[in-house]
């Protein structure tokens, strides 16, 4: 039985490199957060940062922004509540849900964490031209948009 022939090279697969890079970056930033006294994940930081930029939101809104399922976001928020970085408040418009907002401790944490992320990005991307960074971001945004379009319409174009 002969093996099917494919013109596929794993080391040329964008998804593999994106996944590997994302894993390594999230692992490193979590270690840096912990070294500053904030044992948080990159996903936790994403939640805190979005809340700082957009104000209190429901868990459903956070899940949609973060492109994560509601169960995962609920667990993340539970952890952030325990660390007193966010709080749940009754939604004045809908008694069935809560609005998640930053606490003063969450705001202070971001004063430490945002420079950590910024410094990490600067260190990691040093030696890469602005043109290459811009092209990479543009390409990844295009791929993301294609995948979102496919997920919602079943078509890439």
């Amino acid at each position: 039985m002969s093996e099917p022939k494919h013109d596929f090279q794993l080391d040329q697969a964008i998804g593999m490199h994106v996944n590997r890079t994302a894993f390594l970056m999230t692992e490193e930033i979590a270690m840096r957060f912990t070294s500053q006294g904030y044992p948080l994940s990159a996903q936790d930081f994403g939640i805190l940062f979005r809340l700082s930029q957009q104000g209190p939101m429901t868990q459903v809104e956070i899940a949609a922004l973060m492109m994560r399922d509601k169960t995962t976001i609920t667990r993340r928020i539970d952890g952030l509540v325990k660390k007193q970085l966010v709080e749940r408040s009754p939604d004045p418009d809908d008694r069935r849900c809560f609005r998640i907002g930053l606490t003063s401790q969450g705001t202070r944490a971001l004063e430490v964490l945002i420079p950590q992320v910024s410094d990490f990005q600067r260190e990691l991307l040093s030696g890469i031209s602005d043109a290459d960074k811009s092209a990479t971001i543009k390409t990844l945004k295009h791929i993301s948009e294609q995948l979102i379009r496919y997920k919602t319409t079943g078509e890439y174009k």
Side-chain angles (χ1 to χ4, degrees):
M1 187 161 130
S2 66
E3 294 292 320
K5 301 222 178 207
H6 298 283
D7 188 21
F8 174 78
Q9 299 295 320
L10 186 59
D11 65 340
Q12 297 299 310
I14 289 174
M16 189 211 48
H17 289 287
V18 168
N19 188 51
R20 182 174 187 215
T21 301
F23 173 79
L24 293 168
M25 289 177 72
T26 57
E27 190 176 65
E28 176 63 23
I29 201 64
M31 288 186 339
R32 290 179 184 220
F33 290 164
T34 299
S35 75
Q36 294 296 310
Y38 293 99
L40 300 171
S41 69
Q43 194 171 20
D44 293 333
F45 172 78
I47 292 169
L48 295 174
F49 187 79
R50 296 241 187 217
L51 290 172
S52 76
Q53 299 296 299
Q54 295 176 254
M57 290 184 269
T58 66
Q59 290 180 192
V60 171
E61 292 169 329
I62 294 169
L65 274 173
M66 302 290 293
M67 299 180 98
R68 297 287 188 264
D69 63 84
K70 289 181 265 184
T71 304
T72 299
I73 292 301
T74 298
R75 278 195 308 270
R76 299 261 48 108
I77 290 170
D78 287 346
L80 293 170
V81 167
K82 284 180 186 169
K83 292 174 183 169
Q84 300 178 340
L85 299 174
V86 301
E87 59 190 357
R88 288 182 172 97
S89 302
D91 188 319
D93 301 324
D94 187 346
R95 295 183 327 194
R96 296 168 297 168
C97 62
F98 293 92
R99 298 196 71 72
I100 311 304
L102 284 177
T103 63
S104 57
Q105 283 182 263
T107 301
R108 284 193 303 276
L110 283 173
E111 291 171 2
V112 173
L113 301 176
I114 291 171
Q116 288 288 310
V117 173
S118 181
D119 290 348
F120 176 54
Q121 290 284 314
R122 192 173 24 264
E123 291 169 26
L124 191 61
L125 300 176
S126 68
I128 299 174
S129 72
D130 289 344
D132 284 349
K133 287 184 254 189
S134 179
T136 301
I137 290 168
K138 182 179 178 182
T139 300
L140 290 173
K141 281 183 177 181
H142 178 79
I143 292 168
S144 293
E145 289 165 3
Q146 289 280 69
L147 290 166
I148 291 166
R149 187 176 303 113
Y150 184 78
K151 192 175 182 175
T152 57
T153 68
E155 298 179 7
Y156 286 111
K157 292 185 180 184

